């Protein structure tokens, strides 16, 4: 699925977690299909919605007539269930080397997971957490709203147009583009949602640091 070799320049990188750094699909499938069964919904249709969003936002799409406070309460239970289940969580190919190459490079994790879930999944995948993290607790609106990516850029002190987002889901790619950022799509879902460039996994990305603080991303 690799696109033709591409070079993007940036000053900071904003990284989604699930599907981008960590493959947690088996856990997401287990938890959300159980949830679908409890609510009499088709599991396949539910799985089309949930990637990239915070749980309460997915529930609002799937159960549009349910009060939002019930979605938030249900989401808290779902987060606890997902945090306790890391069986099968692994790193995306190339993620350990990619993160290691970012030492000293401005970058942030921008995830729809909360602190507990992101900590558990990154640990299960054997990945270190970036120093700057924007989690569910940090924002008022879930992806596809751009708030998380804009907050990540602000915390790094880098203009949005100088940031490149790494994302796998429709909600995340839409959020990155809405933030005025370029987007590298990761994995099989990404090419269908309009990233600037798409790759199979992080083995196809190399980061070069130029002397003036510019980053060159060699993709493909």
């Amino acid at each position: 699925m690799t696109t033709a070799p591409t070079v993007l320049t940036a000053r900071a990188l904003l990284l989604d977690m699930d599907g981008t750094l960590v493959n947690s699909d088996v856990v997401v499938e287990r938890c959300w299909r159980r949830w679908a069964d409890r609510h009499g919904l088709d599991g396949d249709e539910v799985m089309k919605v949930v990637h990239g969003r915070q749980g309460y936002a997915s529930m609002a799409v799937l159960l549009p007539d349910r009060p939002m406070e019930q979605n938030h309460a249900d989401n808290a239970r779902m987060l606890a269930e997902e945090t306790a289940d890391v069986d099968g969580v692994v790193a995306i190919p190339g993620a350990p080397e990619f993160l290691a190459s970012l030492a000293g490079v401005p970058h942030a994790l921008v995830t729809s997971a909360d602190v507990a879930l992101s900590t558990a999944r990154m640990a299960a995948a054997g990945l270190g957490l970036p120093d700057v993290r924007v989690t569910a607790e940090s924002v008022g609106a879930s992806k596809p709203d751009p708030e998380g990516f804009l907050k990540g850029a602000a915390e790094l002190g880098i203009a949005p147009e100088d940031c490149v987002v790494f994302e796998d889901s429709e909600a995340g790619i839409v959020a990155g583009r809405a933030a005025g950022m370029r987007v590298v799509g990761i994995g099989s879902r990404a090419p269908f949602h309009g990233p600037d460039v798409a790759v199979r996994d992080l083995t196809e990305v190399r980061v070069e640091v130029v002397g003036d603080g510019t980053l060159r991303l060699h993709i493909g």
Side-chain angles (χ1 to χ4, degrees):
M1 186 197 63
T2 314
T3 55
T6 302
V7 177
L8 298 178
T9 59
R11 300 190 76 81
L13 308 182
L14 302 177
L15 316 174
D16 175 51
M17 181 181 71
D18 292 301
T20 301
L21 297 173
V22 170
N23 183 344
S24 57
D25 280 359
V26 291
V27 179
V28 175
E29 288 264 351
R30 279 198 293 268
C31 292
W32 278 100
R33 286 186 182 277
R34 281 197 297 265
W35 183 90
D37 288 344
R38 288 197 293 269
H39 294 279
L41 298 174
D42 181 86
D44 291 340
E45 294 305 310
V46 167
M47 294 313 302
K48 292 176 184 177
V49 171
V50 300
H51 291 291
R53 290 180 170 87
Q54 290 191 43
Y56 75 84
S58 296
M59 292 169 188
V61 172
L62 294 160
L63 297 173
D65 297 325
R66 190 166 78 159
M68 189 57 82
E69 59 266 25
Q70 288 187 33
N71 293 335
H72 281 286
D74 206 359
N75 184 48
R77 290 189 291 271
M78 178 70 79
L79 283 168
E81 189 178 334
E82 289 187 279
T83 301
D85 183 358
V86 293
D87 186 30
V89 173
V90 295
I92 292 289
E97 297 82 2
F98 176 73
L99 284 174
S101 76
L102 300 185
V105 169
H107 67 287
L109 187 73
V110 181
T111 176
S112 293
D114 64 3
V115 169
L117 181 57
S118 57
T119 301
R121 284 192 176 157
M122 290 289 279
L127 301 175
L129 283 163
D131 291 337
V132 177
R133 301 183 289 277
V134 178
T135 60
E137 297 94 337
S138 310
V139 297
S142 169
K143 300 171 187 176
D145 191 281
E147 181 187 356
F149 287 123
L150 291 171
K151 181 162 279 194
E155 290 197 25
L156 293 171
I158 304 295
E161 62 268 23
D162 291 327
C163 296
V164 169
V165 165
F166 285 73
E167 265 286 2
D168 71 301
S169 70
E170 179 181 15
I173 291 167
V174 170
R177 295 188 75 79
M181 301 172 183
R182 289 151 297 149
V183 180
V184 176
I186 306 293
S188 60
R189 287 185 288 265
F192 301 102
H193 305 301
D196 292 272
V197 62
V199 293
R200 183 185 306 107
D201 56 43
L202 290 167
T203 63
E204 298 175 354
V205 180
R206 182 171 64 84
V207 180
E208 177 190 4
V209 181
V210 183
D212 63 356
T214 299
L215 310 174
R216 284 200 190 101
L217 306 179
H218 300 268
I219 299 164

Short mmCIF file of all heavy atoms in Angstrom, two decimals, residues 2 49 70 100 113 127-128 137 147 156 165:
data_model
loop_
_atom_site.label_atom_id
_atom_site.label_comp_id
_atom_site.label_asym_id
_atom_site.label_seq_id
_atom_site.Cartn_x
_atom_site.Cartn_y
_atom_site.Cartn_z
N THR A 2 2.14 1.11 0.02
CA THR A 2 3.01 2.28 0.10
C THR A 2 2.78 3.22 -1.08
O THR A 2 2.65 2.79 -2.21
CB THR A 2 4.48 1.84 0.07
OG1 THR A 2 4.64 0.76 0.96
CG2 THR A 2 5.39 2.96 0.49
N VAL A 49 -17.71 2.78 13.21
CA VAL A 49 -17.85 4.10 13.83
C VAL A 49 -16.77 4.38 14.88
O VAL A 49 -16.31 5.51 15.04
CB VAL A 49 -19.25 4.23 14.48
CG1 VAL A 49 -19.37 5.50 15.33
CG2 VAL A 49 -20.33 4.21 13.41
N GLN A 70 -25.62 9.57 30.01
CA GLN A 70 -25.54 8.11 29.99
C GLN A 70 -24.36 7.64 29.15
O GLN A 70 -23.70 6.65 29.49
CB GLN A 70 -26.84 7.51 29.45
CG GLN A 70 -28.02 7.62 30.38
CD GLN A 70 -29.23 6.87 29.86
OE1 GLN A 70 -29.11 5.83 29.21
NE2 GLN A 70 -30.42 7.40 30.16
N ALA A 100 12.14 5.83 18.97
CA ALA A 100 13.53 6.04 19.39
C ALA A 100 14.20 7.13 18.57
O ALA A 100 15.03 7.90 19.09
CB ALA A 100 14.31 4.73 19.27
N ALA A 113 -7.75 8.00 23.91
CA ALA A 113 -7.70 7.24 25.16
C ALA A 113 -7.43 8.18 26.33
O ALA A 113 -6.90 9.27 26.17
CB ALA A 113 -6.60 6.18 25.09
N LEU A 127 6.31 0.24 24.45
CA LEU A 127 6.67 1.56 23.93
C LEU A 127 6.71 2.59 25.05
O LEU A 127 5.88 2.57 25.96
CB LEU A 127 5.64 2.01 22.88
CG LEU A 127 5.48 1.10 21.66
CD1 LEU A 127 4.34 1.60 20.78
CD2 LEU A 127 6.78 1.02 20.86
N GLY A 128 7.70 3.49 24.98
CA GLY A 128 7.78 4.58 25.94
C GLY A 128 6.79 5.69 25.60
O GLY A 128 6.50 5.94 24.43
N GLU A 137 -8.67 13.34 28.87
CA GLU A 137 -8.90 14.31 29.95
C GLU A 137 -8.51 15.73 29.56
O GLU A 137 -8.94 16.70 30.20
CB GLU A 137 -8.09 13.93 31.21
CG GLU A 137 -8.46 12.59 31.82
CD GLU A 137 -7.58 11.46 31.31
OE1 GLU A 137 -7.00 11.58 30.21
OE2 GLU A 137 -7.50 10.45 32.02
N GLU A 147 -9.44 19.91 18.28
CA GLU A 147 -8.93 20.47 19.53
C GLU A 147 -7.67 19.77 20.03
O GLU A 147 -6.71 20.42 20.46
CB GLU A 147 -10.00 20.42 20.62
CG GLU A 147 -9.53 21.01 21.94
CD GLU A 147 -10.52 20.83 23.09
OE1 GLU A 147 -11.64 20.31 22.86
OE2 GLU A 147 -10.17 21.22 24.22
N LEU A 156 3.71 22.18 22.40
CA LEU A 156 5.06 22.08 21.85
C LEU A 156 5.60 23.44 21.40
O LEU A 156 6.79 23.58 21.11
CB LEU A 156 5.08 21.12 20.67
CG LEU A 156 4.81 19.64 21.01
CD1 LEU A 156 4.62 18.84 19.72
CD2 LEU A 156 5.92 19.05 21.86
N VAL A 165 0.78 15.19 11.35
CA VAL A 165 0.00 14.24 12.15
C VAL A 165 0.19 12.83 11.59
O VAL A 165 0.23 12.63 10.37
CB VAL A 165 -1.49 14.64 12.11
CG1 VAL A 165 -2.39 13.50 12.59
CG2 VAL A 165 -1.73 15.91 12.91
#
